Structures are given as C-alpha cells and as structure tokens.
Amino acid sequence: MKQAQLRLPELSLRFIPIWRRNLLVWKKLAIPSMLGNLADPMLYLFGLGYGLGQLMPTVNGLPYINYLAAGTLCYSTMNSATFEALYSGFSRMHVQKSWSAILNSPNTLDDVMLAELVWAASKSLLSGISILVVIWVLGLSRSWMSLWIVLVTIVIGLCFAGMSLVVTALSPSYDFFLYYFTLLITPMMLVGGVFFPVVQLPHFLQVLSSILPLTHAVAMVRPLLIGETPAEMALHLGILAFYGALGFYISTVLMRRRLLS
Amino acid sequence: MVVLSTKNLHKMYGGRSVVAGVNFAVESGECVGLLGPNGAGKTTTLRLCLGLIEPDGGNISLLDKAVPQEARSARRRVGVVSQTDNLDPDFTVSENLLVYGRYFGFADSATSKRIPDLLEFAGLSQRANEKMQNLSGGLKRRLALARALINDPDLLFLDEPTNGLDPQARHLIWQRLRQLLNQKKTIVLTTHFMEEAERLCARVCIMDNGVIIASGPPRELINQCIEPQVVEIFGEGLESWMDQHGGKLAERYERAGESVFCYMHETEGIVASLLAYPTLRYLHRPANLEDVFLKLTGRELRD
C-alpha cells in the first residue's frame, strides 16, 4: 500500500453534482423504489407485529407491534444504505462504468466516494421517513420526540453506507455481497434488539451485540418513538459515527488501490 | 506550443513494466496517434497523462500543469472518450450531456444552451430525448464524443474511438474528428486501425512493450522503415514458387500462415514470375502503415 493511498479522504462539495446524478436516476423510478422500500418492513411489522404480537404480553411495557416498530425502522434504514452502497454502487463502479466517466472530468475518486456515501445515506433517510410516516398513521407513536428520528436515520445511513462501501471495494461480483449479509447484516438483525430485547440473549451474545452498530441505532430510536430521551445518546451516536467513518476511510483507501493504481 | 509532454514515464504492474520510459510531446493543434498491439501500454499511457493513475517514475505536463499533482485542474480543459461505453444508461441523450456538464461545475442553463450545437455536431439532433437502449453502437460513440466536448476542451483523448463500429459509423467519426482538427483542437488517439491513423494523424508513435519504438508522420515512417512495394501471395504452389523465384527476387519476405508477403523496391520480376503460376493469387500494392507496424512489432498474436 502506497503512502498516497493511505491519506485521509478529501471532503469537497464537488460531490454534489455526482449525488444529483444518482438522484436523477432515482427520480425516474421513485414510485416503485419507495414502494419497495416500504413493502418489506411493512410485511414484517404487520406479520410479526400483529401475528406474533397476539401471543405475547407486552414487551418492556409496550404492545409488541409498538416495540417492533422501532426495530423495523432501524433495520430497514440499515438495509436501504446497505443495498444502495453494495448493489447500486457496484453497478455504477463496475458494470456501467459511471465512475470512470466522472473521473475523466475534474473530479476525483474521493469526490465519487463521498457522493456514494451521502447518496446511500439519503436513501436511508427516505426509507426512515416513509416508515416513520406509516408508524404515525398507525398511531404507533404519538410523541413529537419521534421527529428526532429523522436526524438519527441520517447517522444510521452514513454508518452502514461507510461499512458497505468497504465490501463494494473488495467485491469481484454481486455474489460476493451475500457473505456480508450472512456474516454481518443478518446476525446483527437477530442480536441487535430489533425483534426482542437484547437482555433475552446469552451473555456472550449480549457482549457481541453491544459492539454492533445496529444495536446502538435501535437503542436510540426505541425511546424516541415513545417520547423518551435515550440514555447514553452520545455513546450510541459515537459508535455509529465511528463505524461509518472507519468504513469510509478503509473503503476509500481500497478503492484507490482498486481503481487508481 | 507543447500541450502534452511526458519524460521518461514509467509504470509497473506486478513487477512488470507496462510503461517503460515513454517520451513524447504533442503540439497544439496536432493529431497524434498511439499505435501498438494489445498490451503495448497505450491505454496505461493515456491514463497516466490524465492523472488517473500515479506513475512510478517520470514527468508529465498536461496543458502546462504538472500531472498527477495538478491533474484535476488540467482536466478542466480536456475531453475524453473512453474505450468502453460509459454513458449513463438510465438517462436520455440530452440528460447525459446535462449531467456531465455539472461535473465541470457548469450551470444547467449554460449547458442547455450548448446542447443543441453538440447534438448537431454528433448528428443526434433528432434524438435528444432518446433513451440509451435505443441507440446503436455508432450513435453511442457519437454521443460520447459530444459529451467529451461539453467543456469545449483544448485537448481530446480518444481511446480507440472507432473500435467495433461499422464502416459508415467509422467514416462519420473520422469526418467529425477532422472538423475538430480544423477548429484547432489537439487530439491524442489510440487505435488498432492503421487506416485511421494514416487518415487522421499528422504523427504516429508506435508502442510495444511499454516503449515507443518509432514515431513520425505516417508517410515518413513508411518511407524510412519499409520497402515501398508489397506483393501478397497465397494459394496452391506457393512453396515451389518460393523455391524457384520468390526467395530470390524479394528483398525481404514474411510468412503469415498460408500467405507470403514480399517487400521490395521493384516488383516487375516477381509479378512476371507469378504469371507462370495460375493457381497462385496475389495482390500488389504500395506499402502502408500496417506493414510498418507488423514489421516493427512482429506478426505473432499478443493475447
């Protein structure tokens, strides 16, 4: 690895035209894309929330569907950024060669990477907002505090976008992404407090859970949804920011090695 | 005025020198062709000149900027057509141009004013709102050329601009490139088509194994490097004709599969001897750049 490849990513507003390119593509497919964003989480929320919820007493004093709403919002926010940075990012980089066209203009790979990061987080924001709207409409949250979740989804998006870009930078093909889902995303969903409280888990899984970013996302969103201030807000935000920043740095270095050497 | 120059340019990949000491300079308004077999280092040289990859040694100056240090700013005045299609498949023809203009920091209103002229230049005026999947290979290449002109560049890099196009499409691209040269644009192109290089380039550099092995105006290279006349011969009885006549009469010959290429100054003797061999077929023609290319880089396949 050369010295020049290890330098910190340069953050410049030049990412905006590249971000707008992705927005223009998205606009052409906005309605199916929004429906797709909503369909999967809604199936879980209604299926598990009403189905499983009937069998259960309350969880931490909440009806199960209210409890599940926060988890659903977090994991689908995570998924939006993840899918965007993996599959769509890989298409733009490798299949459509959109990045190579951009790099021939007065933009750099760092600009492209920042655009990918912010765009994937934008997709998280969109999906977070749409689920929040459904939650409000269903009456699963009645607190103004839940509006803070909009800002939290941006942080969740940046976190998982940064992490996913590392995988995209390493990936030879779309099939490679399956490892990431099997080894990280799915386990995170199961131990991160999405479907049930982390305290139900054996101790070692609780320890594992405590270092995974999704756990910290859920730990912020769940209280906000019922109008409470999350405990240790700074810790949760810090951990998400740490994963996102580290992922973004590593992915930028790997991309420089992949594309610029 | 020199708009692009490289000095002792080096680039290694996995211990192999892909560019191994390339020196060349391009004058303003010139069209220079980089020729070479696959893997000769042409595309790597272009990428180095654009500052997209870091050289392992040597200096590059592009439009008075040091590359790669100031490559970003040099690229403001450069247009590029890549070897592979990298148009945005989700956009229409004019959206492709509009979005590309934004990468240069142009306001949409400014780009929109330029789009009709660019479309007319590329012969795409009727197709401004066409989707990419409805465009043929030739139309896409013309759009890629129009897109490379979005910033009205001083210097154009074209990496195999007519590769994979039918003759009609290729001739149209050549016509457009000549138009650009008339507007005093500078063009650096790589190509496998010797005819393309002979038609367009004031000067060609023949590359092999990462170095430039010959350079000059195509006519001069032909005069300097090779005998002026060629007779290509193939068919039944080739061996006996070679034993009896060919081997003695040709100043130099090359075998390629079932054919023999005889190179010489005077061809009367050879052509006369061929009359006695009605089963042999032959083609007598003046030597061209392809003959020079094959002589210098050899006839064996490269990949």
Side-chain angles (χ1 to χ4, degrees):
Chain A
M1 196 73 72
K2 288 183 186 164
Q3 204 66 40
Q5 289 172 346
L6 291 173
R7 68 184 192 278
L8 288 175
E10 188 194 351
L11 305 180
S12 147
L13 289 179
R14 290 191 299 266
F15 85 87
I16 293 172
I18 309 169
W19 180 89
R20 287 180 70 196
R21 175 221 168 266
N22 297 342
L23 180 69
L24 183 58
V25 176
W26 177 82
K27 272 192 201 158
K28 293 180 180 255
L29 297 161
I31 289 170
S33 161
M34 292 290 278
L35 289 176
N37 267 342
L38 271 176
D40 187 60
M42 288 308 112
L43 289 174
Y44 273 91
L45 190 59
F46 293 137
L48 293 179
Y50 288 121
L52 210 54
Q54 299 293 323
L55 304 172
M56 282 197 228
T58 55
V59 185
N60 296 347
L62 286 175
Y64 185 61
I65 191 162
N66 295 49
Y67 181 86
L68 187 61
T72 307
L73 187 144
C74 289
Y75 94 72
S76 44
T77 309
M78 164 179 83
N79 274 348
S80 292
T82 303
F83 274 94
E84 187 64 31
L86 295 178
Y87 290 92
S88 311
F90 189 77
S91 296
R92 290 187 282 265
M93 168 184 73
H94 189 74
V95 183
Q96 303 177 0
K97 309 272 180 204
S98 317
W99 292 13
S100 89
I102 297 168
L103 293 176
N104 286 332
S105 73
N107 293 294
T108 62
L109 186 62
D110 290 16
D111 302 333
V112 174
M113 289 299 287
L114 183 58
E116 287 293 334
L117 181 83
V118 177
W119 171 248
S122 311
K123 292 290 292 282
S124 282
L125 175 65
L126 274 168
S127 119
I129 291 175
S130 31
I131 294 170
L132 203 52
V133 168
V134 173
I135 288 173
W136 286 331
V137 169
L138 293 174
L140 299 178
S141 169
R142 298 187 187 281
S143 164
W144 287 109
M145 287 283 278
S146 62
L147 275 172
W148 285 105
I149 293 172
V150 174
L151 293 181
V152 173
T153 59
I154 298 175
V155 182
I156 299 175
L158 289 169
C159 169
F160 289 103
M163 289 170 62
S164 307
L165 284 170
V166 177
V167 183
T168 309
L170 290 170
S171 183
S173 71
Y174 292 110
D175 298 327
F176 186 77
F177 300 143
L178 199 58
Y179 295 113
Y180 182 60
F181 280 100
T182 315
L183 295 174
L184 201 65
I185 296 291
T186 310
M188 225 169 1
M189 199 169 91
L190 292 173
V191 304
V194 170
F195 300 111
F196 48 81
V198 178
V199 289
Q200 305 289 325
L201 293 165
H203 180 69
F204 82 98
L205 283 179
Q206 288 190 37
V207 174
L208 176 70
S209 174
S210 69
I211 58 166
L212 294 173
L214 185 63
T215 315
H216 295 275
V218 177
M220 279 189 285
V221 170
R222 192 159 281 143
L224 286 173
L225 219 44
I226 53 172
E228 289 172 8
T229 308
E232 300 176 313
M233 190 82 172
L235 172 78
H236 301 315
L237 284 173
I239 285 183
L240 291 179
F242 170 76
Y243 274 101
L246 186 67
F248 184 58
Y249 172 67
I250 294 173
S251 61
T252 305
V253 171
L254 291 172
M255 281 297 186
R256 286 174 187 152
R257 195 182 63 169
R258 177 175 183 146
L259 300 172
L260 303 185
S261 64
Chain B
M1 194 186 73
V2 174
V3 290
L4 169 68
S5 71
T6 71
K7 284 198 185 72
N8 204 20
L9 197 56
H10 279 81
K11 180 72 191 173
M12 311 265 293
Y13 281 116
R16 199 174 76 88
S17 272
V18 176
V19 174
V22 165
N23 296 291
F24 76 106
V26 179
E27 296 275 333
S28 176
E30 226 187 349
C31 179
V32 173
L34 282 180
L35 314 183
N38 287 331
K42 307 182 297 289
T43 301
T44 307
T45 303
L46 285 196
R47 286 169 57 79
L48 284 165
C49 291
L50 283 164
L52 299 178
I53 46 179
E54 299 247 343
D56 292 315
N59 297 308
I60 306 162
S61 164
L62 173 62
L63 298 162
D64 295 324
K65 311 266 184 202
V67 172
Q69 299 81 0
E70 301 172 276
R72 218 180 59 70
S73 122
R75 287 202 299 269
R76 294 194 169 283
R77 292 161 58 201
V78 168
V80 182
V81 178
S82 301
Q83 204 174 105
T84 44
D85 168 27
N86 57 22
L87 295 164
D88 266 314
D90 300 296
F91 293 159
T92 64
V93 167
S94 34
E95 282 170 343
N96 258 288
L97 298 174
L98 191 75
V99 168
Y100 209 69
R102 290 178 188 161
Y103 299 153
F104 286 82
F106 301 152
D108 286 359
S109 55
T111 310
S112 298
K113 278 191 201 124
R114 269 184 69 69
I115 286 178
D117 290 341
L118 289 170
L119 290 181
E120 199 189 316
F121 175 82
L124 289 164
S125 295
Q126 305 303 314
R127 295 173 185 265
N129 298 314
E130 196 81 77
K131 291 189 172 136
M132 283 306 104
Q133 67 250 36
N134 300 333
L135 296 188
S136 66
L139 290 172
K140 281 186 183 163
R141 206 61 63 87
R142 272 145 64 187
L143 177 57
L145 181 60
R147 191 180 66 172
L149 296 170
I150 197 88
N151 56 332
D152 193 20
D154 298 324
L155 173 59
L156 275 164
F157 286 100
L158 312 172
D159 199 358
E160 300 187 11
T162 61
N163 203 12
L165 300 188
D166 62 28
Q168 287 85 346
R170 196 180 306 158
H171 277 268
L172 191 76
I173 295 267
W174 288 341
Q175 209 180 309
R176 291 301 184 259
L177 295 183
R178 240 176 268 119
Q179 228 169 302
L180 291 171
L181 289 169
N182 290 338
Q183 296 166 22
K184 306 291 176 222
K185 304 270 185 217
T186 311
I187 296 180
V188 176
L189 62 86
T190 73
T191 183
H192 289 301
F193 294 113
M194 300 301 135
E195 190 195 348
E196 180 163 287
E198 275 192 78
R199 275 165 188 261
L200 291 172
C201 300
R203 209 152 52 81
V204 297
C205 301
I206 298 181
M207 278 190 84
D208 201 12
N209 299 317
V211 288
I212 294 175
I213 52 173
S215 70
R219 272 288 119 209
E220 269 179 33
L221 278 184
I222 297 166
N223 293 339
Q224 282 166 14
C225 300
I226 205 158
E227 301 78 2
Q229 300 292 324
V230 189
V231 183
E232 291 180 40
I233 307 138
F234 59 96
E236 225 172 290
L238 184 63
E239 293 308 319
S240 78
W241 176 81
M242 278 301 287
D243 288 342
Q244 299 287 318
H245 307 280
K248 297 164 201 154
L249 290 168
E251 288 168 39
R252 188 171 66 82
Y253 65 85
E254 286 175 15
R255 280 181 178 272
E258 305 292 300
S259 304
V260 167
F261 293 75
C262 296
Y263 295 92
M264 67 216 96
H265 286 80
E266 300 297 333
T267 53
E268 284 86 356
I270 278 216
V271 173
S273 77
L274 282 164
L275 295 175
Y277 290 80
T279 55
L280 282 181
R281 298 179 60 189
Y282 73 94
L283 172 68
H284 175 201
R285 57 174 176 79
N288 58 31
L289 197 56
E290 187 148 321
D291 297 306
V292 174
F293 183 85
L294 289 168
K295 181 184 173 192
L296 296 177
T297 61
R299 285 186 184 268
E300 69 274 21
L301 285 177
R302 293 313 176 93
D303 51 10

